[in-house]
Amino acid sequence: MVNENLDVQVILDVVNPASPVNLGNLAVYVVSDESNSEETLPDVQLHAAADIANLGLAVNTATEEMVKSFFAQPNHGDTIYLYGIESSVDQSTTKEKVESTLTDGWEFATMISATSLDTVVLTNAIEQYGRKLAVLGMDVNLSTAKVSDIESITDAPFYGNERTVVFLANREAGANEKFKGVGALVGALGNLQPGSITWKFKKLKGITATQVNGTVVSKATELGAVMYVYKAGMPQTSEGLTTGLEYIDNLHSDDWVRAEIESSIQNLLQTTDKLSYGAQGIAQLEAAVTTVLRTATENGVILIDPETNSGKFTVTAGSREEQAATDIASRSYKGLSFDYTRAGAIHDVTVHGTISNV
């Protein structure tokens, strides 16, 4: 699925190892629970927790707690996209809603439903789309959790998806802690400049950290789950991985680069009287991509080459003569490509030392 409103599409081919959309916004899909006489919510945009009351929305407790937690974070995004879905036995209404809203102006999405099958629809749609992130809440009794308890979460059918994040909450803090955790995680970190942060070591306002056994934390990290725990006496997110064991900040940054390039080239097309299909026009396209990648380097997305003190990226723009005659005739240029090396981050440190008696 592509954004049909753009005349430029950026396809990222991630080699391992190796407006833009508002990337701090959260989509909350809520499937009405008919067994509890819930009405289907209208599709609305929330800019503050008070909007629930201001708009007269009859949301369930899980939704309310998530929205409040998102907006309680100091650096939260501008908008929560709230989507109401009528329950369906075959998840057809969920699929229709997700597919029709997948290109809206949000980067993160979650599902509140009485059945996990609706969640699978969302996670698989995002995985197939190849951009954006699903963020889901799960819970166990963390203070007494064993390794086997953590391993059990991998039974979820979406587990292993590269673009799915699981916040593993402490069930002892209440049934809605997992929803609060999702709101807090995205609200606290999603709106910060991609490349400037990692999702590990971070504080979440309104979420109570748990003292968890070290082997349990290690197992959660191994499986790509994020918890809110005490380390060295400080509350923090335990890691920043997706269930596919990719770092959240890497994917978030890649999405930012792609969105910025799409926006930059779209702006060039719209503000130029005529972009010639020749050396001058192609050079303008190349310059637009180069500018974005330089900014990405400054923001910490792209690694700096110590020899050149410049970002480790390349931009290639094929000449008119290298393009297919059919593409030239249809005014479609497909000769622009780029690659870059991610800057990465340090999450663990091993120190070797020597101590002498004399």
Side-chain angles (χ1 to χ4, degrees):
M1 185 180 297
V2 296
N3 189 333
E4 297 174 353
N5 292 324
L6 293 178
D7 299 304
V8 52
Q9 300 297 332
V10 178
I11 302 172
L12 284 185
D13 182 15
V14 179
V15 180
N16 290 308
S19 126
V21 172
N22 293 303
L23 296 186
N25 290 344
L26 172 65
V28 180
Y29 293 89
V30 183
V31 181
S32 58
D33 186 356
E34 294 179 354
S35 63
N36 288 325
S37 301
E38 287 184 4
E39 296 182 0
T40 303
L41 293 171
D43 294 350
V44 296
Q45 294 181 24
L46 307 177
H47 303 289
D51 285 348
I52 292 176
N54 294 339
L55 296 172
L57 300 175
V59 302
N60 56 33
T61 304
T63 304
E64 183 177 12
E65 290 295 332
M66 181 178 292
V67 171
K68 289 166 59 177
S69 185
F70 175 89
F71 286 115
Q73 307 308 310
N75 299 300
H76 63 76
D78 295 334
T79 307
I80 284 182
Y81 287 72
L82 190 63
Y83 299 113
I85 303 174
E86 184 179 356
S87 178
S88 58
V89 176
D90 59 358
Q91 282 67 54
S92 58
T93 55
T94 300
K95 184 177 181 181
E96 180 181 356
K97 176 70 67 157
V98 170
E99 289 183 348
S100 66
T101 57
L102 198 55
T103 59
D104 285 355
W106 49 265
E107 170 71 2
F108 303 92
T110 193
M111 179 71 65
I112 297 178
S113 172
T115 171
S116 62
L117 295 177
D118 290 308
T119 300
V120 174
V121 171
L122 175 64
T123 57
N124 287 348
I126 288 178
E127 193 74 7
Q128 184 177 5
Y129 188 33
R131 60 174 77 183
K132 305 193 176 190
L133 291 152
V135 187
L136 310 174
M138 302 178 73
D139 60 7
V140 297
N141 294 330
L142 282 181
S143 67
T144 58
K146 301 177 181 178
V147 168
S148 58
D149 297 322
I150 305 302
E151 290 175 331
S152 67
I153 67 176
T154 61
D155 293 336
F158 54 77
Y159 222 89
N161 283 5
E162 185 178 83
R163 287 184 169 269
T164 297
V165 178
V166 165
F167 182 86
L168 188 57
N170 183 12
R171 188 179 297 156
E172 298 156 302
N176 291 313
E177 190 73 3
K178 59 186 177 182
F179 302 112
K180 290 173 59 179
V182 169
L185 185 68
V186 177
L189 306 178
N191 201 44
L192 299 177
Q193 177 62 53
S196 69
I197 66 161
T198 172
W199 287 51
K200 187 178 180 180
F201 311 114
K202 299 301 181 286
K203 291 185 178 181
L204 305 178
K205 186 176 180 180
I207 305 300
T208 302
T210 308
Q211 192 70 50
V212 181
N213 182 283
T215 57
V216 171
V217 175
S218 296
K219 176 54 66 173
T221 298
E222 179 185 324
L223 299 177
V226 180
M227 301 187 297
Y228 196 55
V229 299
Y230 282 105
K231 283 193 176 183
M234 297 291 290
Q236 65 170 64
T237 49
S238 61
E239 244 306 344
L241 290 165
T242 70
T243 64
L245 301 183
E246 180 57 272
Y247 287 103
I248 302 169
D249 59 291
N250 277 346
L251 297 175
H252 196 206
S253 295
D254 290 346
D255 285 355
W256 180 88
V257 169
R258 178 162 34 195
E260 283 285 335
I261 289 176
E262 287 180 343
S263 179
S264 179
I265 294 180
Q266 184 72 20
N267 182 66
L268 176 63
L269 292 169
Q270 291 172 337
T271 58
T272 304
D273 290 336
K274 177 181 178 181
L275 197 65
S276 65
Y277 209 129
Q280 183 178 6
I282 292 172
Q284 289 177 271
L285 291 171
E286 182 179 9
V289 175
T290 300
T291 297
V292 171
L293 296 183
R294 284 176 178 165
T295 302
T297 302
E298 295 170 0
N299 291 344
V301 174
I302 297 175
L303 182 67
I304 295 177
D305 188 330
E307 294 184 1
T308 64
N309 205 33
S310 299
K312 294 193 71 172
F313 66 83
T314 59
V315 181
T316 303
S319 67
R320 175 189 173 102
E321 291 69 29
E322 295 173 308
Q323 308 313 304
T326 53
D327 287 336
I328 296 174
S330 62
R331 300 191 172 189
S332 176
Y333 179 70
K334 300 176 182 178
L336 194 59
S337 64
F338 66 91
D339 65 78
Y340 62 81
T341 301
R342 292 167 172 163
I346 297 173
H347 277 193
D348 298 287
V349 178
T350 300
V351 180
H352 300 277
T354 301
I355 301 175
S356 301
N357 289 322
V358 179

